[in-house]
């Protein structure tokens, strides 16, 4: 029996604009990494930050064990 999913409007996360100064060499490396993709500079930085935060949480949990 096939289950039909109901369409739901996607929730758009709230955002806040932050200005961050990056060293030019880091900007160059990020731009090189995303060249030829549909990834924006902001999307790359957000994902990198999420991964870094996850890594920090994992390290904290390991240190508490």
């Amino acid at each position: 029996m096939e289950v039909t999913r109901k369409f739901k409007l996607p929730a758009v996360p709230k955002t806040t604009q932050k200005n961050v100064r990056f060293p030019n060499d880091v900007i160059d490396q990020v731009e090189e990494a995303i060249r030829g993709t549909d990834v924006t500079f902001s999307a790359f930085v957000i994902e990198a930050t999420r991964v870094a935060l996850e890594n920090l949480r994992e390290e904290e949990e390991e240190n508490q064990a």
Side-chain angles (χ1 to χ4, degrees), residues 34-47:
I34 63 176
R35 186 171 290 125
T37 71
D38 289 334
V39 177
T40 64
F41 187 92
S42 291
F44 182 97
V45 171
I46 290 166
E47 182 62 15

Side-chain angles (χ1 to χ4, degrees), residues 19 22 36 52 57:
N19 294 321
F22 288 90
R57 276 193 302 273

